[in-house]
Amino acid sequence: MIDSHAPPRAARTPHLRLHFPAVAVSTAVVIALVPGSALGLTTTTPFGTTGTSPSGLALDDAGNLYVANSGSDNVSRITPAAASSVFAATGQGPWAITIDRSGNLFTSNRLGSDVTKITPAGSPSQFAALGTEPRQIRADRTGNVFVTKNLAAQLMKVTAGGAVDPSFASTGSFPFGIAFDYDGHAYVTNRTSPGTVSKVAPDGSSTVAFATTGNQPNGITIDWQGNLYTANNAANNVTKIAPDGTDTTLAATGTSPNAITIDSLGNLYVANFGSASITKIAPDGTPTTPFATTGTQPNAITVDADGNLYTTNAGSNNVTKVTPDVANPEMAPAPPDIPGAPTASAGDAQATVAITRNALSAQYGVPTSYVVAAVEDPAKTCTVTMPATSCTLTGLTNGSSYSFTAAAVLNAWTTRASEASAAVTPQVAPEPTPEPTPTPEPTPTPAAVPAAPTPTATPAPAAACPSAFYQQAARTSRTARAPGGTSAIRVVSRIRIYEDSQAACRTNLTFILRDARTKKRLSQLPGSTLGFRTLKGKDFSAPVISWPTAKEMRFSGGDTTGQDRKNARLVLVSYLKKTKGMPAMKDVELLIVRRVPTNADQPDSAANPLFAQKNALGAASGWAAAS
């Protein structure tokens, strides 16, 4: 089921201030709360340089950008810290680029009429020879790669093993952009006047003229309800196409729109090649042009898990990054990914279903909840709201078999349901068999004894701390000047934080900065407490960090506010004093420790319950159970 209620807009966020005594310090932390549901913007351009005439753009799980440079026959990689490098060579004239779920890159080479495959290690090879001019390229969820043949009115399919089907499906004339729906249908824009969209089923059967668009549609995207949106290059507008093929002109854009993307609120963002700008189109169809400026001739556009926008700029050989700003809510994170299959256990007329949380990825927004449904009776549902990991469906029929699916939810977006769990069967709980009552032996009357004092009741042991207290969102670092002018490494960590009902799990926190390679501790700040307090006149609480009065640093005043305490991000800005032998800034990682172990250099484990802020959105461990 799709939630039709638009999420509320985020509140303004005041800043926290840290006051330092007149002593030498190695680490300072500045904290602000960033709401996760809708964000504003500031523009940074250029974010990174590329090769000649960049066109295609892809984003990996770690937040690295990969750019197909059609004029220099190679791919550039730009890290989250904006460091640019040539990642790999390609065939001639790479026009578009895509990434599969294993991290392999594929480029469609317009002048070489082939596809280059680049491994995650940067090793290129010819993946497939196409024999005609390719344009757009897209990988599906199973590893198949699809390419539009611009001069042949066909969609080509290359299997994960490299087998080429040169005439997989027919399209209209001059096919260009590709988008997939949740059922595996491909939708192809055909650059004619007026333009059309072809619909291709997973078996290759096609409806060549599924819908009509404005003149010369280039980019295409799709929302969670199956509505299509095309950027019409020669008409300077966007067409909306309903699932039944009904088309309407949604909104005007800037000049020569080339590419289009969508966020989890349903906002559309259009890269205008001719006017070096981005048009934003709200869910109600209201356009804003320019919403942001870009480099010259933006060719491709995408949105990441933190709501940042990126464009490749063919005329200025660089990438523009448009960054969310809490002061002016306007943007939202990328849509979430489809979750994995849940697991279920049966009870009496009910079942408890545990969801498989989505892996952290810069490509997909982090879900705030999951909707669980019974396959055999879709009306039976329950919702898992973070940080919970399961929910219970009641009203099931004992003796009947049930399996369950889960769909991820973020803002207005609800994904397709996951694969189904293994089936379970609710049963009536058996009555316990009573023990036979033995015949009591007659006992002599005992002599009177003084009454014993009533024992004091033993309190129940406290529950273990939850296994999901923090969840990583993003991390960047760069060389900077710390407060006071000291040369330092500046580490910015965005951590998604949830309210925890157990106060004991929020006390005596220690922040540690260490070398990610050797695990050597560089600096630490102990004795911190995380609490929540109700904001006056608000119906939500906000995280509050209390710091100790110590030589390292002192905290006083200020608090944080946000729209939703279950969907807020804590931004920590750490300054680490540079010393001889200091690791490179990309090799510094932040850890949050509830119980400082004897050896903080040891690996993460149940015996060492650390939250690790890994480099470049790598794997992160959550809070372990108390050990």
Side-chain angles (χ1 to χ4, degrees):
M1 180 179 293
I2 302 297
D3 181 5
S4 61
H5 296 286
R9 298 174 68 84
R12 293 180 61 87
T13 306
H15 295 282
L16 293 178
R17 296 172 301 210
L18 291 175
H19 301 274
F20 301 92
V23 295
V25 297
S26 60
T27 303
V29 181
V30 180
I31 302 173
L33 185 72
V34 181
S37 63
L39 305 170
L41 74 127
T42 55
T43 301
T44 303
T45 183
F47 177 65
T49 57
T50 66
T52 307
S53 301
S55 52
L57 179 63
L59 178 69
D60 71 10
D61 290 333
N64 297 299
L65 296 169
Y66 296 90
V67 180
N69 302 308
S70 61
S72 51
D73 299 340
N74 58 21
V75 169
S76 296
R77 178 171 67 180
I78 304 175
T79 70
S84 301
S85 62
V86 175
F87 185 63
T90 66
Q92 297 179 10
W95 181 261
I97 187 169
T98 192
I99 188 168
D100 68 13
R101 300 184 80 84
S102 298
N104 298 299
L105 297 166
F106 301 86
T107 64
S108 58
N109 306 313
R110 187 171 60 90
L111 300 181
S113 295
D114 60 2
V115 171
T116 297
K117 177 180 179 179
I118 305 170
T119 67
S123 177
S125 62
Q126 186 188 59
F127 183 60
L130 305 181
T132 187
E133 179 183 325
R135 283 287 180 160
Q136 190 57 264
I137 186 169
R138 285 285 185 269
D140 67 11
R141 297 180 62 85
T142 61
N144 298 308
V145 174
F146 295 83
V147 185
T148 51
K149 296 167 63 174
N150 189 49
L151 301 180
Q154 288 177 329
L155 179 67
M156 303 179 67
K157 177 181 179 181
V158 185
T159 67
V164 180
D165 185 346
S167 54
F168 173 69
S170 297
T171 67
S173 300
F174 308 112
F176 203 84
I178 308 171
F180 294 102
D181 66 16
Y182 281 140
D183 294 323
H185 296 96
Y187 298 87
V188 178
T189 57
N190 304 304
R191 296 188 75 244
T192 54
S193 295
T196 61
V197 169
S198 299
K199 179 179 180 179
V200 179
D203 64 0
S205 58
S206 64
T207 304
V208 173
F210 174 68
T212 303
T213 71
N215 292 345
Q216 298 182 16
N218 279 6
I220 184 170
T221 193
I222 190 168
D223 68 16
W224 67 98
Q225 295 174 309
N227 298 300
L228 298 166
Y229 303 90
T230 65
N232 306 315
N233 183 263
N236 299 333
N237 60 20
V238 166
T239 297
K240 177 179 180 180
I241 301 170
D244 65 358
T246 303
D247 56 86
T248 56
T249 299
L250 180 65
T253 66
T255 307
S256 303
N258 251 9
I260 188 169
T261 193
I262 190 169
D263 70 18
S264 56
L265 271 176
N267 296 308
L268 298 167
Y269 304 94
V270 182
N272 300 309
F273 184 85
S275 52
S277 66
I278 295 172
T279 295
K280 175 194 169 186
I281 303 174
D284 64 1
T286 302
T288 302
T289 303
F291 177 67
T293 57
T294 68
T296 308
Q297 297 176 344
N299 242 340
I301 189 168
T302 194
V303 61
D304 72 10
D306 283 333
N308 300 302
L309 291 171
Y310 303 89
T311 66
T312 56
N313 306 311
S316 50
N317 297 330
N318 59 21
V319 167
T320 294
K321 179 180 180 180
V322 181
T323 307
D325 180 359
V326 297
N328 182 23
E330 292 288 348
M331 303 162 65
D337 196 9
I338 299 171
T343 57
S345 58
D348 185 355
Q350 64 182 26
T352 298
V353 181
I355 53 96
T356 301
R357 286 187 175 180
N358 288 5
L360 292 169
S361 169
Q363 299 182 62
Y364 301 102
V366 178
T368 53
S369 63
Y370 296 81
V371 176
V372 174
V375 174
E376 295 75 11
D377 185 357
K380 302 294 186 184
T381 65
C382 65
T383 299
V384 180
T385 302
M386 297 299 96
T389 58
S390 65
C391 62
T392 299
L393 290 88
T394 59
L396 304 181
T397 302
N398 286 330
S400 297
S401 178
Y402 292 90
S403 56
F404 303 92
T405 61
V409 179
L410 176 60
N411 294 317
W413 201 286
T414 300
T415 68
R416 188 198 69 187
S418 68
E419 296 296 322
S421 69
V424 297
T425 303
Q427 300 286 352
V428 176
E431 293 289 338
T433 302
E435 295 276 343
T437 304
T439 302
E441 293 284 337
T443 55
T445 304
V449 295
T454 302
T456 303
T458 302
C465 292
S467 60
F469 191 52
Y470 291 103
Q471 190 173 26
Q472 176 189 8
R475 179 188 174 282
T476 60
S477 58
R478 64 181 176 84
T479 299
R481 291 281 178 184
T486 306
S487 179
I489 291 176
R490 181 176 185 265
V491 181
V492 179
S493 304
R494 287 183 172 86
I495 301 172
R496 194 171 295 274
I497 183 171
Y498 301 114
E499 182 174 11
D500 166 34
S501 60
Q502 299 184 58
C505 298
R506 305 198 301 264
T507 60
N508 197 25
L509 305 180
T510 297
F511 291 81
I512 296 175
L513 288 167
R514 72 179 184 182
D515 189 322
R517 304 162 302 170
T518 66
K519 308 306 179 186
K520 179 180 179 182
R521 197 184 319 184
L522 303 173
S523 181
Q524 72 177 44
L525 176 66
S528 303
T529 298
L530 169 65
F532 281 80
R533 70 176 189 82
T534 302
L535 300 176
K536 185 176 181 180
K538 305 291 184 180
D539 59 356
F540 53 84
S541 300
V544 177
I545 302 292
S546 299
W547 299 98
T549 299
K551 289 183 179 180
E552 288 87 355
M553 65 194 314
R554 179 181 297 154
F555 169 79
S556 65
D559 59 10
T560 58
T561 64
Q563 180 204 350
D564 184 349
R565 63 192 176 204
K566 297 183 183 300
N567 187 27
R569 276 173 288 188
L570 200 64
V571 179
L572 294 91
V573 182
S574 307
Y575 289 93
L576 181 61
K577 183 179 178 182
K578 293 191 72 174
T579 60
K580 186 176 181 180
M582 176 70 66
M585 58 186 178
K586 67 182 180 65
D587 293 321
V588 176
E589 65 181 7
L590 169 69
L591 301 96
I592 302 176
V593 188
R594 183 163 54 83
R595 303 176 67 184
V596 180
T598 303
N599 177 13
D601 300 341
Q602 65 182 286
D604 301 339
S605 68
N608 179 30
L610 302 179
F611 170 83
Q613 186 75 12
K614 299 295 187 182
N615 282 311
L617 277 170
S621 66
W623 283 89
S627 59

